[in-house]
Amino acid sequence: MKRPFIIAVDGPAASGKGTIASGLAQAFDLPMLDTGLLYRAVGVLLARHGGDFDDVEAAARVARELTPEMLTDPAFRTREAGEAASRVAIHPPVRAALRKLQQVFAHRPGGAVIDGRDIGTVIAPDAPAKLFVTAAPEVRAERRFKQLKAQGEPVTFEDILADIRKRDARDGGRADSPMVQADDAVLLDTSQMTIDQAADAARRIVEAARARWEQDPG
Ligand code: DC
């Protein structure tokens, strides 16, 4: 059977992978899933129920009950939600509870774009197109700072840079961390690029992968 055309987009916090993934979804006419939103939802809903981020079982329970319809709350897009997500995402039972939903989405027959931390390695190692999007911490902090300010959050650049460094250490600092670049992912460092340039570069990488996939769908 023909392997579905999955585009896996991984990378650290505020690397621009969300914007890049949306651009790819539009360019290739594919549905998209932002998996950070799943972890954000688990963190926020757990906190709303009075739960503790270190309570692995409570967090896993919230993750097991999560459905895609629950992801529309704007509260999941805040800085606080990002921090909560990163706290619950370190628990293996939370990751396991969210795995199936992500794998089903990624492997839909028509193909999909899916962005996160471990898409190319764990969720869809078979993806024909894999990108690992990154940028220097200061560049990512500047982008996230502008985005949160536009959302009306009272933040400073220094706080956001500290957040980014903390998130990098938590998401990628351990041997069992989710955030590792897949061996067959193309690295896209967007530090010196505008978001439009980054989106163009990503599209070219995926066009090449698509041509290879059309020759040999696997
Ligand atoms: O990409 P984001 O900022 O929305 O992600 C929020 C947090 O969720 C991030 O710090 C780590 C976690 N996450 C993860 O562990 N695995 C994913 N596939 C997506 C996000």
Side-chain angles (χ1 to χ4, degrees):
M1 206 177 77
K2 193 167 158 170
R3 184 168 56 134
F5 190 69
I6 303 169
I7 305 174
V9 184
D10 288 305
S15 56
K17 64 185 185 307
T19 310
I20 286 175
S22 305
L24 291 171
Q26 215 175 357
F28 293 88
D29 195 20
L30 293 170
M32 175 191 155
L33 178 65
D34 165 8
T35 63
L37 213 45
L38 302 173
Y39 292 92
R40 286 165 176 263
V42 172
V44 171
L45 296 174
L46 178 67
R48 271 188 201 155
H49 296 141
D52 180 336
F53 296 136
D54 297 327
D55 184 342
V56 181
E57 199 28 60
R61 212 174 309 123
V62 175
R64 282 193 291 270
E65 285 164 12
L66 201 69
T67 61
E69 295 71 40
M70 294 158 81
L71 300 176
T72 52
D73 190 334
F76 301 158
R77 307 259 176 203
T78 64
R79 174 184 174 206
E80 214 182 336
E83 173 68 15
S86 164
R87 299 276 304 271
V88 293
I90 62 169
H91 304 315
V94 170
R95 306 197 72 81
L98 298 177
R99 194 171 299 142
K100 181 92 187 149
L101 191 156
Q102 297 176 74
Q103 287 179 329
V104 168
F105 187 93
H107 293 86
R108 54 178 63 204
V113 182
I114 172 160
D115 84 78
R117 299 290 188 289
D118 58 351
I119 309 304
T121 49
V122 174
I123 303 300
D126 53 337
K130 293 185 191 176
L131 282 169
F132 193 87
V133 182
T134 190
E138 294 75 12
V139 174
R140 291 187 277 130
E142 184 64 33
R143 290 179 187 157
R144 182 56 56 93
F145 172 62
K146 284 186 181 149
Q147 180 195 353
L148 290 172
K149 264 194 80 166
Q151 283 174 213
E153 283 209 43
V155 288
T156 66
F157 172 78
E158 287 69 28
D159 286 345
I160 300 303
L161 182 58
D163 275 6
I164 296 261
R165 292 194 191 284
K166 203 162 56 177
R167 293 265 296 278
D168 282 357
R170 206 184 279 139
D171 299 347
R174 306 174 316 279
D176 63 343
S177 297
M179 196 172 66
V180 277
Q181 183 183 338
D183 290 340
D184 53 350
V186 178
L187 179 66
L188 180 61
D189 186 334
T190 68
S191 302
Q192 310 288 334
M193 297 179 186
T194 64
I195 196 62
D196 286 343
Q197 288 169 334
D200 276 352
R203 195 169 32 72
R204 282 195 298 274
I205 292 166
V206 175
E207 273 164 2
R210 177 121 191 158
R212 283 194 298 275
W213 173 79
E214 275 164 1
Q215 291 272 312
D216 176 19

